[in-house]
Amino acid sequence: MRAPDADAASPRVDAAGLPLGFFSGLPGARPRPARDAGPLRAATRGRGESDEPELLAYLRAGLLLRVVRAALPDVLAPRTPPLTRAASLLTDGTWVWRLDLAHYVARAHVRLPVDFLSAVRARAHVPPEVDADRLTALRAHWAP
């Protein structure tokens, strides 16, 4: 299913994609193109966005760019079981994020960038279709 006005809702993006939620202090290697989003704890809040369930569904529906098989600790709850494939990368064709971002949004209502929220809401929380050439370009750029 294609999101309504998906192209109009996307921020201008180059071949690299836009990094989303690569917080400092997260275990695992940071991909070279990822910009530091600051400390994870500084982005946590007591309450999430009113549409947090839809945002979580969007994050979880991302297309897989890279699998990182290692299980990594939850930095907000280190005594809980590790997060499987936490540093794996997902995309919607524009944004690129770690698999564990949805976990931290659900657990600690992590603040997401306004540009991302606006784009997702403009698409009515429906991820756009991403063509194979775009996925190939993103995989090449985000490869280790």
Side-chain angles (χ1 to χ4, degrees), residues 16-24 26 28-38 66 87 89 95-98 138 141-143:
L18 298 171
L20 175 66
F22 288 91
F23 296 100
S24 56
L26 290 177
R30 180 189 312 265
R32 187 175 23 91
R35 291 188 301 265
D36 188 342
R66 187 176 87 193
L89 299 179
W95 299 88
V96 177
W97 62 91
R98 285 172 45 132
L138 285 168
H141 189 79
W142 288 82

Side-chain angles (χ1 to χ4, degrees), residues 3-4 22 33 40-41 44 56 59 63 83 99 102 104 114 121 130 143:
F22 288 91
L40 177 63
R41 288 196 187 278
T44 63
L56 287 167
L59 290 169
L63 299 172
L83 304 172
L99 182 75
Y104 291 116
V114 172
R121 289 170 177 152
V130 181

